[in-house]
Amino acid sequence: MSYEFWIGARYAGLARSRRKGGGGDRFVSFIAASSMVGIALGVAALIVVLSVMNGFQKEVRDRMLSVLPHIELYAPRMAPDEVLSQWKNIARMAEENPEVKGAAPFVAGQGMIVRGETLSGVQIRGIDPKLDAAVSDVAEQMVSGELTSLVPGSFSIVLGNYLAHTLGVGMGDTVLVLAPQGSISPAGFTPRMRQFTVTGLFSSGYYEFDASMAFINYEDAAKVFRDSGQTGVRLRIADMQKAPLVASELRAALPPYVQAQDWTQNNRTWFAAVQTEKRMMFLILALIVAVAAFNLLSSLVMAVKDKRSDIAILRTLGATPREVARIFLVQGSLIGVVGTLLGVGFGMLVAFNIGVIVPFIERMLGVQFLPQQVYFISELPSDPQMTDILIIAITSLVLSLLATLYPSWRASSLQPAEVLRHD
């Protein structure tokens, strides 16, 4: 071990001094330890926050796509009845793509559900209950009744559990569904309406869907919405991340009157907002690491000032300015490396166990950090990604190394004669 490394490690508090007393060494080691802790806390905070944001995005995405299709095919220039009569041909052409694993028809529209004096706006999805399991997980999310109860002509409806609670309805109750289109008569505008019987309740775990979505048979939906609803084919693919690529391939393979839209387009605003928020959180929390690096710079400057006599003695013994600079480069680098490793270890420990830590804190304090009505999910998810962890670690190391440059140059530029004359 070179003497520069040994001295730098001793100043960083990572090597033991044989000298008795050592008050100056203890002071330098203390400020080095405080810088190390600052870097570790900054790195850990970055890892935990970005892991939670990744987990939040993944959890919400998965819950959304348990109800929504990966890709939707529709023909806006064709009448809904014509699309429904040809949906099997469109599905067969789409299933020639090896990524497509399931297809089912749909009729989508927005309307109002009325129960007594309570009225609520809803997204209504007309589906084929026998084929829907191939494109969504709604059948597995039923908390009451069965999705197969949506028999054509029965005008049955399956509601989200929060929507049913808002309307005050349960199994077997009737609700009135109003379509936004209607007929104009001498008496005025009359909205199109139909009475439905509640035959099931579902819970996707995604509050927005559970509070504003209902399913009916696609043939019944075609009668209610007629020309106003969007009609087409829902697809599920093997890898949801390839949805944009598969949608592009389908546009090229299907007839020109058929359009394909994937889930990233349908929810573009939400996912773009999450990505922007993640970038901003990284920049904001990276300032914590930057402050810790500035603290490291300050501690090294203090160490240089405290060790002026030692530096002068080393120079008189033949140490070159480069060797003196390497001592403080080693000190700062070791503080940065050890602080970064401690931060990565602590951050990953918290990130991988946040599902246990947060509920424990909630029980201790008697609070709920994530009300489902506000944040869509009730549990704090975490998804640590190695790419983020590597970027955070590299950023911390680079800032730490940059913080050592000025103090090292300052130490190497000290003149032994001037220092010893004043001391």
Side-chain angles (χ1 to χ4, degrees), residues 123-136:
Q123 303 176 52
I124 298 177
R125 296 290 183 269
I127 62 173
D128 186 334
K130 296 180 180 179
L131 300 176
D132 193 70
V135 296
S136 78

Side-chain angles (χ1 to χ4, degrees), residues 72-84 106-111 124-126 179-181 192 216 218 220-232:
E72 288 183 350
L73 304 177
Y74 56 95
R77 297 181 181 179
M78 295 175 61
D81 292 341
E82 189 177 358
V83 176
L84 288 178
F106 78 92
V107 177
Q110 297 194 10
I124 298 177
R125 296 290 183 269
Q181 290 75 25
R192 189 178 301 135
I216 62 178
Y218 76 101
D220 295 343
K223 295 176 183 178
V224 172
F225 292 104
R226 296 183 188 175
D227 298 334
S228 62
Q230 186 184 66
T231 307

Side-chain angles (χ1 to χ4, degrees), residues 15 27 39 57 75 98 114 126 129 131 138 151 195 197 201 213 234 239 268 281 312 314 346 354 365 379 399:
F27 171 72
I39 292 173
Q57 182 179 4
V114 181
L131 300 176
V138 177
V151 179
Q195 182 172 283
T197 302
L201 303 176
M213 186 168 283
R234 309 201 305 172
D239 185 358
R268 181 182 305 166
M281 287 301 294
L314 281 174
F346 181 68
I354 203 163
L365 301 179
E379 298 178 356
L399 290 175

